[in-house]
Amino acid sequence: AIGEVKSIDATAKQLTIKTDAGSMVTVSLSDKTTYKRLAPGEQSLTNATDVTFADLGEGDRVMARGTVSEDHKSVPALMVIVMTKGDIAKKQEAERAEWRRRGILGVITALKPEAHEITISNRTMAGTQSVTIALNDKTEMRRYAPDSIKFGDAQPSKFEELKVGDQLRALGDRSEDPLHFKAQKVVTGCFRTVGGVV
């Protein structure tokens, strides 16, 4: 079971977690349960550190390993792997800083599928510019969910899903020519902007 810790019952040695699917699961712990702390972004337990039940906190993200009950509402955990709320916040802030430093945003004005290029209208202090964004096989593409503007809810995407008029944000590096950009990550979405008086 994977999700966010919503409550901790130290007396009963239980956690209640909300899974990514939105369901609530009770995690039962015992003296045989082991606890590992893993940094966000790590893909294996090689660099994990040993922690204890007392180190767990509400808002932490955990994976509880064990045999899930048939109703999928409880799991006796043999191991709990935790990414702390603080570690996740630090990683998110570092990512936001990188997007501010190496990012570009604008509205898609043209698409070249054969060349894997996207042209966007990019607003700068000097005015509006047309910037060509080049993608390659390693470019990570994601698209915002129809009902969410959270980056975390964006789903894997592909070039064929892009449309003229979509909003685009890309992370990467500008070429020597400032009107060309090599993208490492691209996230797109179609949003409606509404203006009015409150």
Side-chain angles (χ1 to χ4, degrees), residues 58-150:
E58 292 183 11
D60 289 349
R61 184 168 176 80
V62 299
M63 173 191 285
R65 288 184 173 176
T67 303
V68 181
S69 63
E70 290 185 6
D71 61 5
H72 298 281
K73 292 185 178 179
S74 63
V75 54
L78 298 174
M79 177 182 286
V80 173
I81 302 166
V82 59
M83 291 184 184
T84 68
K85 184 179 180 180
D87 287 346
I88 293 171
K90 288 178 183 177
K91 182 175 184 292
Q92 290 173 339
E93 179 54 38
E95 288 176 344
R96 282 193 290 268
E98 185 179 28
W99 277 86
R100 287 193 294 268
R101 183 172 58 86
R102 299 179 55 226
I104 189 172
L105 56 89
V107 176
I108 296 176
T109 57
L111 296 164
K112 289 184 179 179
E114 66 283 354
H116 252 57
E117 290 183 347
I118 305 166
T119 301
I120 65 168
S121 175
N122 171 236
R123 291 183 180 178
T124 69
M125 295 291 288
T128 302
Q129 295 178 329
S130 287
V131 178
T132 299
I133 297 175
L135 312 184
N136 58 45
D137 294 339
K138 295 182 179 180
T139 302
E140 178 186 327
M141 296 187 67
R142 302 184 74 83
R143 191 166 181 85
Y144 285 108
D147 57 351
S148 174
I149 59 172
K150 292 183 179 179

Side-chain angles (χ1 to χ4, degrees), residues 17 89 108 125 153 180:
I17 67 173
I108 296 176
M125 295 291 288
D153 294 335
H180 286 80

